[in-house]
Amino acid sequence: MKQIISIVLLAMLTGVTAAGQKTDDVKQSRQAVKQFFGQLKGELQSAMKAGGPVNAIEVCSEEAPAIARDVSKEKGLQIGRTSLKPRNPGNAPDQWEKAVLKEFEQRKANGENPKKMEKHEIVEQNGQQVFRYMKAIPTGELCLKCHGSDLDPAVSAKLEKLYPEDRATGYSKGDLRGAFTIIKDL
Ligand code: HEC
């Protein structure tokens, strides 16, 4: 009897700790996204103001990965961006990310606000438990200069040169452009 009680207690305790850990991971992921997005948007806006979208392309191609590396290191996780139609093939989604991106599209079609859309799950990868998190990125007005349908020819030319496999144009305001994605080893 005693043994059963301790097993039950242990199971409950483990459950509580796991749930607490997950809440912390979600909070930390939200903070990481906020930091990444805030910094990137700030740099993007000032580069656009200073030299227009052609000039700002460099911010996206060089600063975005650099900011992602800094935030990842600081928070002890891996943060990046992904999309069903990536500009950089290096940002292509893995299987879990692809499923979540499709789920986000479905949730949006069902009327959910994409600004608040997120998903987290603990999954097994290569025999290891990892925490995964994604947050949707809706397309705003600013984004259309480089992800819209009617691009300035100079912008198109530069994008073509840097990203010959670019699939990230033709978006309208409010569309899901992609998502932030986080992996954390547990
Ligand atoms: C000045 C041009 C420019 C603007 C404006 C811009 N982007 Fe991008 N975006 C890029 C470039 C270049 C990349 C490829 C970055 C890389 O190589 O990782 C990119 C990549 C991305 C990615 C990563 C997935 C992929 O397609 O490779 C997302 C998500 C994204 N942009 C969202 C946005 C959103 C949301 C906005 C508006 C807030 C925005 N972008 C505004 C140029 C731009």
Side-chain angles (χ1 to χ4, degrees):
M1 187 60 193
K2 244 189 195 161
Q3 216 174 0
I4 293 175
I5 292 175
S6 27
I7 288 170
V8 169
L9 275 179
L10 189 68
M12 279 168 64
L13 207 62
T14 320
V16 169
T17 331
Q21 179 60 39
K22 193 167 174 191
T23 316
D24 288 348
D25 289 335
V26 173
K27 269 194 206 147
Q28 196 196 25
S29 299
R30 286 181 186 145
Q31 281 166 1
V33 164
K34 213 168 160 189
Q35 200 173 324
F36 184 7
F37 197 36
Q39 225 169 312
L40 181 58
K41 212 169 168 185
E43 295 203 18
L44 188 60
Q45 275 164 342
S46 14
M48 297 274 268
K49 241 189 210 155
V54 177
N55 170 59
I57 289 173
E58 246 119 66
V59 170
C60 292
S61 61
E62 283 158 31
E63 289 304 312
I67 297 169
R69 272 195 299 275
D70 288 349
V71 175
S72 299
K73 212 167 155 195
E74 191 190 315
K75 303 270 184 210
L77 42 75
Q78 280 170 266
I79 189 167
R81 295 184 303 167
T82 188
S83 170
L84 288 172
K85 292 198 307 162
R87 169 152 289 161
N88 184 338
N91 293 330
D94 68 16
Q95 229 176 350
W96 188 82
E97 289 165 334
K98 202 178 213 172
V100 175
L101 286 165
K102 286 185 179 162
E103 182 191 308
F104 283 172
E105 289 289 359
Q106 190 55 50
R107 281 162 63 178
K108 181 172 173 285
N110 292 343
E112 192 176 329
N113 182 356
K115 278 195 178 147
K116 298 210 170 131
M117 222 177 263
E118 58 177 0
K119 165 107 181 172
H120 49 82
E121 197 176 357
I122 292 173
V123 297
E124 202 174 297
Q125 256 174 235
N126 309 320
Q128 243 232 309
Q129 298 263 19
V130 293
F131 171 81
R132 302 205 63 166
Y133 174 91
M134 276 172 79
K135 184 165 198 314
I137 310 176
T139 309
E141 193 71 45
L142 171 77
C143 323
L144 299 179
K145 296 262 184 237
C146 297
H147 294 293
S149 312
D150 193 18
L151 301 191
D152 184 299
V155 171
S156 295
K158 186 152 183 185
L159 286 175
E160 233 163 81
K161 207 165 143 200
L162 286 172
Y163 302 96
E165 295 173 59
D166 188 10
R167 295 173 60 206
T169 53
Y171 287 89
S172 306
K173 200 175 161 186
D175 284 348
L176 282 180
R177 177 59 266 276
F180 291 101
T181 180
I182 289 176
I183 299 185
K184 194 183 166 194
D185 290 334
L186 294 176

